Amino acid sequence: MKLLKEKIISDGKAIGNNIIKVDSFLNHQIDINILKEIGKEFYSRFKNEDITKILTIEASGISIASITALYFDVPVVFAKKTKSLNLDEEVYSQKVFSYTKNRFYDIKVSKNYLNKEDNVLIIDDFLARGQAALGLYNLVRESCGTVKGIGIVIEKGFQDGGNLIREKGIRLESLAVVKKIDDGKIIFQKNGG
Amino acid sequence: MKLLKEKIISDGKAIGNNIIKVDSFLNHQIDINILKEIGKEFYSRFKNEDITKILTIEASGISIASITALYFDVPVVFAKKTKSLNLDEEVYSQKVFSYTKNRFYDIKVSKNYLNKEDNVLIIDDFLARGQAALGLYNLVRESCGTVKGIGIVIEKGFQDGGNLIREKGIRLESLAVVKKIDDGKIIFQKNGG
């Protein structure tokens, strides 16, 4: 997605050879206009999949999923990472390993909000090692629903999450795939996104 | 806001005499269509305030703030509750007391995304004791920006947050004000919302 890659180049920042900082428009401050374009793009890629629900995970995925849901006209469900007083007792739950925090955490969705009739589009801001996306995929499997695909804004093509997902036969659409960070410069894959 | 109150009655649940569970449409599963109506309503109430930014807090406020931002055509900033690897070192930070968790936590916004030129609308899903809303208010004050108002979807009128905010002379607009929960029934204030 050309517009997104231009935005990443103009407003994003590379830190070291691993971190792509886009908190000026994607995951701390949010540029609603670029999100509308992202939502339209996900819609154009998945509009024939009869999507009934968009699933994401708190917190950075929520804004992207919500704006995307406008185009599909379906509800969003966001998986919770933290214990919540008000969460139903009956939940789907998966363990997800966080490489940045070096520990497992639980992600949860109430059983009321995913079921076997659902055709689910999973949305998240980043894909790196793929653990969060696979955790969301397993939540949907636990509900006997169908994952129609995973939509990612920025895939770190130099980490293995993308391969892990594609190897499972899951449809993965990443709007920008970063091949590498080279001396502070973000290099995209030619055919990625 | 009549439509919202009807939705709370039809799809919400009262638990005990304190908890209003609206996770079927507001803060776990999200009904994008009711959020559009909420966003329009906040816009109609604050459209003359020259709002430049909408500020909320992760996680439940993000969806509401994002859809509301469509009508104002301004960026959203969400305060972070948790430590993030990628957060700037230069942040505004406030301590917020959580009554449900019985401890203080820090909320943070990068200094890049709030400044003295900003006219800020603070948005959140619930107002109870008012600690999160006041924390967000103090973050904006720290940035020397102006808080033009606080927009809340559901105010628990039987707790003291609303009074704490109004006493400070801050404009508070709550779309539904719950007077009390009576034997499992949610009773709204006549003139609230």
Side-chain angles (χ1 to χ4, degrees):
Chain A
M1 187 182 164
K2 191 162 171 278
L3 181 73
L4 172 66
K5 291 181 191 172
E6 289 167 359
K7 184 84 174 173
I8 294 168
I9 296 296
S10 66
D11 293 13
K13 245 188 245 171
I15 299 176
N17 56 9
N18 187 18
I19 294 174
I20 301 152
K21 202 159 173 294
V22 286
D23 67 354
S24 65
F25 65 94
L26 195 66
N27 50 23
H28 183 23
Q29 181 169 252
I30 298 160
D31 179 333
I32 292 295
N33 289 307
I34 186 87
L35 251 59
K36 283 198 278 188
E37 297 306 317
I38 287 169
K40 274 183 216 170
E41 183 68 26
F42 282 135
Y43 181 68
S44 85
R45 295 187 189 203
F46 288 103
K47 66 183 169 195
N48 297 323
E49 296 289 356
D50 196 21
I51 301 297
T52 62
K53 222 157 257 178
I54 293 180
L55 177 66
T56 188
I57 185 165
E58 62 182 8
S60 313
I62 296 175
S63 191
I64 303 157
S66 299
I67 301 293
T68 299
L70 289 170
Y71 298 95
F72 287 91
D73 195 19
V74 299
V76 172
V77 175
F78 65 88
K80 308 222 173 190
K81 283 179 187 169
T82 46
K83 278 183 188 147
S84 165
L85 269 187
N86 298 359
L87 192 61
D88 291 315
E89 306 248 316
E90 292 288 311
V91 294
Y92 305 116
S93 179
Q94 294 288 329
K95 285 210 176 305
V96 169
F97 188 73
S98 165
Y99 283 94
T100 49
K101 292 180 182 160
N102 198 34
R103 63 170 181 85
F104 283 95
Y105 60 97
D106 294 313
I107 64 171
K108 292 178 184 182
V109 166
S110 160
K111 289 193 176 175
N112 290 323
Y113 308 130
L114 278 179
N115 63 61
K116 65 180 168 39
E117 318 293 336
D118 277 321
N119 291 328
V120 180
L121 173 60
I122 293 168
I123 294 280
D124 210 355
D125 56 345
F126 271 95
L127 179 71
R129 312 291 285 259
Q131 299 305 298
L134 288 169
L136 291 172
Y137 172 79
N138 287 328
L139 276 183
V140 179
R141 301 254 299 183
E142 205 185 333
S143 78
C144 300
T146 306
V147 174
K148 287 291 187 172
I150 299 178
I152 296 290
V153 180
I154 304 173
E155 178 182 339
K156 292 179 173 176
F158 51 88
Q159 293 195 327
D160 58 356
N163 285 339
L164 282 177
I165 288 168
R166 290 183 183 97
E167 274 167 11
K168 280 180 174 284
I170 306 165
R171 181 175 171 198
L172 172 63
E173 296 282 345
S174 302
L175 304 188
V177 182
V178 175
K179 189 180 168 185
K180 60 176 175 179
I181 299 171
D182 192 1
D183 200 18
K185 240 187 109 184
I186 296 166
I187 316 284
F188 294 104
Q189 272 183 21
K190 276 239 169 75
N191 302 316
Chain B
M1 188 183 166
K2 192 162 170 277
L3 181 73
L4 173 66
K5 291 181 191 172
E6 288 168 358
K7 185 84 172 173
I8 294 169
I9 296 295
S10 65
D11 294 13
K13 244 187 247 173
I15 299 177
N17 56 8
N18 187 18
I19 295 174
I20 301 153
K21 202 158 173 292
V22 286
D23 68 354
S24 64
F25 66 94
L26 194 65
N27 49 22
H28 183 22
Q29 179 170 254
I30 297 159
D31 178 332
I32 292 296
N33 290 308
I34 187 87
L35 251 60
K36 283 198 279 188
E37 297 306 318
I38 287 169
K40 273 182 216 169
E41 183 68 26
F42 282 134
Y43 181 69
S44 85
R45 296 187 188 202
F46 289 103
K47 66 184 170 195
N48 296 322
E49 296 288 356
D50 195 21
I51 302 297
T52 63
K53 222 157 258 178
I54 292 179
L55 177 66
T56 188
I57 185 165
E58 61 183 7
S60 313
I62 296 175
S63 191
I64 302 158
S66 299
I67 301 294
T68 299
L70 289 170
Y71 298 95
F72 287 91
D73 196 19
V74 299
V76 172
V77 175
F78 65 89
K80 307 223 174 190
K81 282 178 187 170
T82 46
K83 275 178 192 155
S84 165
L85 269 186
N86 299 359
L87 192 62
D88 290 315
E89 308 245 317
E90 292 288 308
V91 295
Y92 305 116
S93 179
Q94 293 289 329
K95 284 208 177 305
V96 169
F97 187 73
S98 165
Y99 284 93
T100 49
K101 290 178 183 160
N102 199 33
R103 62 172 181 83
F104 283 94
Y105 61 96
D106 294 314
I107 65 171
K108 292 179 182 179
V109 166
S110 161
K111 288 192 178 177
N112 290 322
Y113 308 129
L114 279 179
N115 64 62
K116 64 179 166 44
E117 318 293 336
D118 276 320
N119 291 329
V120 179
L121 172 59
I122 292 169
I123 293 280
D124 210 356
D125 56 344
F126 272 95
L127 179 71
R129 312 290 287 258
Q131 299 305 298
L134 288 169
L136 292 171
Y137 172 79
N138 287 328
L139 276 181
V140 179
R141 302 253 299 184
E142 204 185 333
S143 78
C144 301
T146 307
V147 174
K148 287 291 188 174
I150 299 179
I152 296 290
V153 181
I154 302 172
E155 178 182 338
K156 291 179 174 176
F158 52 88
Q159 294 195 324
D160 59 353
N163 285 338
L164 282 177
I165 288 168
R166 290 182 183 99
E167 273 166 13
K168 279 178 174 287
I170 306 166
R171 182 176 169 198
L172 171 63
E173 296 280 345
S174 302
L175 304 189
V177 182
V178 175
K179 188 179 167 187
K180 60 176 175 179
I181 298 171
D182 191 1
D183 199 18
K185 240 185 111 184
I186 296 167
I187 316 285
F188 294 104
Q189 271 181 22
K190 275 238 169 76
N191 302 317

